[in-house]
């Protein structure tokens, strides 16, 4: 890459592979003009290949006035909406992310009580009791038509991409103080910023990361690794992260249908505790795992989730998990189905 950019001082290079597309993000020391950009696009890579050179324009104030093309485009999602780029400048997005452009904007959340003694109540209660999680108070079915439509659209996309998808019903634990909000807007991937106590939206809720986007004037400080988000800033399926609301002993677990697409199996401990903490999408983790599984990373179609196999007593504290966990990096791959309130 540096050879291709000869004549321009390179500050940093980050390789990128998205399915069959191969490229790189490059940070330069100096600003390029239109003529310089045109000259770069006329060069040949290794003297024989024509490639495109685009201006990423990070932190361009003009772009902050324009709606994000990813958010209003076919995918209707931009991972950079809550990423400031504290750990990786290439993941930040300089465009505006209006709330009205999110798929769940204006969504109606409803709950339907699941009768005690019904088949679904008994199924969930048996599973909860088998895990020794406590006494069940009530079970409610989650009704969010907007989230259901978004889930089906994402499922169709991944099915077309892979020819099939893996779906499972899994538990999600979170802070009960934000339960209604996340079930209305959909479970979102975490930000790379800490929740500021001064923030009227995210403050005072005991959250590790903010609920806000990059337009928040309070939540700006970097979220550092603290034995958390071991396999990236994704949505985790596990019951380990439940915290009750202030002044209450009642906790809530959310039963979700999860579209894993083509999941990647991780069967070892991390070589370093924070090795994957700051990644914001499903990338090849093999160089950070101490024991590789039987299946190599699919470089053509890539993967859509991590399945981290529980290692039991072989799990190293801070480097591996005792019980299996699943991590996805797109909110429309998770559909909340039921909320189980229980007292531990």
């Amino acid at each position: 890459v540096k050879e291709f950019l000869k004549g321009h001082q390179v500050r940093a290079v980050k390789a990128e592979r998205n399915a069959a597309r191969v490229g790189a993000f490059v940070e330069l020391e100096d600003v390029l003009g239109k003529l310089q950009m045109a000259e770069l696009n006329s060069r040949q890579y290794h003297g024989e290949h024509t490639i495109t050179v685009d201006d990423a324009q990070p932190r361009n104030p003009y772009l902050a006035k324009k709606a994000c093309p990813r958010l209003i485009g076919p995918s209707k999602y931009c991972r950079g909406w809550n990423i400031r780029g504290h750990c990786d400048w290439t993941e930040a997005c300089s465009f505006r992310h209006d709330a009205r452009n999110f798929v769940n904007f204006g969504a109606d959340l409803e709950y339907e009580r699941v009768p005690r003694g019904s088949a679904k109540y008994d199924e969930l209660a048996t599973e909860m009791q088998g895990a020794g999680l406590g006494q069940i108070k009530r079970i409610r079915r989650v009704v969010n038509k907007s989230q259901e439509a978004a889930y089906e659209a994402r499922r169709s996309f991944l099915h077309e991409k892979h020819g099939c998808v893996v779906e499972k019903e899994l538990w999600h634990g979170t802070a009960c103080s934000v339960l209604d909000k996340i079930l209305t807007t959909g479970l979102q991937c975490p930000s790379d910023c800490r929740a500021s106590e001064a923030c009227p939206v995210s403050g005072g809720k005991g959250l590790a990361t903010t609920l806000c986007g990059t337009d928040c004037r309070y939540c700006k400080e970097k979220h550092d690794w603290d034995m958390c988000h071991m396999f990236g800033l994704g949505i985790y399926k596990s019951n380990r992260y439940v915290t009750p609301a202030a002044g209450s002993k009642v906790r809530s677990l959310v039963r979700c249908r999860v579209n894993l697409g083509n999941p990647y199996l991780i069967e070892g401990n991390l070589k370093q505790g924070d090795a994957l903490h700051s990644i914001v999408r499903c990338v090849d983790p093999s160089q950070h795992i101490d024991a590789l599984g039987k299946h190599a990373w699919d470089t053509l179609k890539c993967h859509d989730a991590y399945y981290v196999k529980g290692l039991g007593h072989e799990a190293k504290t801070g480097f591996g998990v005792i019980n299996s966990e699943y991590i996805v990096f797109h909110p429309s791959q998770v559909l909340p189905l039921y909320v189980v309130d229980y007292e531990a």
Side-chain angles (χ1 to χ4, degrees):
V1 173
K2 288 185 177 180
E3 180 64 27
F4 175 81
L5 294 170
K6 189 174 182 179
H8 303 284
Q9 192 170 355
V10 176
R11 181 182 298 172
V13 178
K14 179 192 174 185
E16 182 211 29
R17 178 154 194 164
N18 187 349
R21 187 184 72 198
V22 179
F25 290 97
V26 182
E27 188 174 13
L28 300 176
E29 293 287 353
D30 301 313
V31 176
L32 301 184
K34 289 184 177 180
L35 292 179
Q36 291 171 307
M37 285 292 293
E39 191 275 327
L40 282 179
N41 274 290
S42 68
R43 294 183 182 184
Q44 287 195 316
Y45 190 68
H46 289 315
E48 56 180 325
H49 302 291
T50 300
I51 64 174
T52 58
V53 180
D54 299 315
D55 184 2
Q57 303 187 70
R59 296 176 291 278
N60 184 338
Y62 172 73
L63 296 184
K65 301 176 183 178
K66 301 178 66 176
C68 175
R70 293 189 183 93
L71 196 58
I72 63 177
S75 70
K76 300 187 183 301
Y77 180 65
C78 174
R79 182 61 186 94
W81 79 272
N82 64 356
I83 298 296
R84 290 185 184 270
H86 283 302
C87 298
D88 186 347
W89 65 272
T90 66
E91 298 294 355
C93 180
S94 301
F95 290 95
R96 193 179 73 242
H97 302 92
D98 293 327
R100 66 174 181 271
N101 291 327
F102 283 78
V103 292
N104 281 356
F105 178 73
D108 293 320
L109 172 66
E110 298 179 4
Y111 293 111
E112 295 179 355
R113 191 81 175 243
V114 178
R116 188 180 295 271
S118 64
K120 179 52 76 172
Y121 187 102
D122 291 343
E123 174 192 336
L124 297 177
T126 299
E127 189 167 337
M128 290 279 291
Q129 291 166 1
L133 292 177
Q135 183 181 359
I136 295 177
K137 296 298 183 181
R138 63 176 176 176
I139 299 178
R140 294 169 290 168
R141 189 171 82 89
V142 179
V143 181
N144 186 330
K145 298 298 183 183
S146 296
Q147 186 64 23
E148 291 174 13
Y151 180 88
E152 286 303 320
R154 180 68 177 173
R155 182 186 181 281
S156 296
F157 168 77
L158 292 180
H159 192 280
E160 183 178 351
K161 176 182 176 182
H162 299 297
C164 64
V165 294
V166 177
E167 290 183 286
K168 293 181 72 70
E169 282 198 14
L170 301 166
W171 294 105
H172 177 78
T174 188
C176 295
S177 56
V178 297
L179 189 62
D180 286 347
K181 177 177 177 59
I182 65 173
L183 292 181
T184 302
T185 61
L187 276 71
Q188 297 293 330
C189 295
S191 169
D192 63 349
C193 296
R194 292 196 300 111
S196 169
E197 288 302 304
C199 178
V201 175
S202 302
K205 294 180 172 64
L207 302 175
T209 58
T210 179
L211 297 172
C212 307
T214 54
D215 58 346
C216 178
R217 62 190 182 95
Y218 298 99
C219 305
K220 296 181 178 181
E221 294 185 13
K222 178 185 176 183
H223 164 64
D224 293 311
W225 179 70
D226 186 22
M227 303 287 283
C228 60
H229 303 112
M230 191 180 298
F231 296 95
L233 296 174
I235 304 170
Y236 287 64
K237 292 290 150 290
S238 171
N239 61 15
R240 295 171 53 204
Y241 312 105
V242 182
T243 55
S248 174
K249 295 182 180 180
V250 176
R251 302 169 182 245
S252 298
L253 272 174
V254 184
R255 182 73 163 188
C256 303
R257 180 178 300 131
V258 184
N259 176 8
L260 300 170
N262 177 26
Y264 180 75
L265 174 62
I266 297 177
E267 296 184 271
N269 289 289
L270 292 169
K271 293 179 181 178
Q272 184 176 328
D274 62 349
L276 298 175
H277 169 263
S278 299
I279 65 169
V280 300
R281 62 188 76 251
C282 197
V283 297
D284 185 358
S286 56
Q287 63 178 317
H288 303 295
I289 309 298
D290 66 2
L292 299 181
K294 299 177 182 179
H295 305 288
W297 181 266
D298 187 337
T299 56
L300 182 61
K301 293 186 177 181
C302 298
H303 297 266
D304 313 290
Y306 292 142
Y307 165 38
V308 186
K309 188 175 181 180
L311 302 177
H313 67 277
E314 294 181 1
K316 299 177 181 178
T317 304
F319 296 83
V321 294
I322 297 174
N323 300 309
S324 297
E325 296 197 24
Y326 299 82
I327 303 99
V328 298
F329 294 86
H330 195 296
S332 294
Q333 285 177 228
V334 182
L335 179 63
L337 300 175
Y338 299 93
V339 177
V340 180
D341 299 327
Y342 66 100
E343 188 170 331

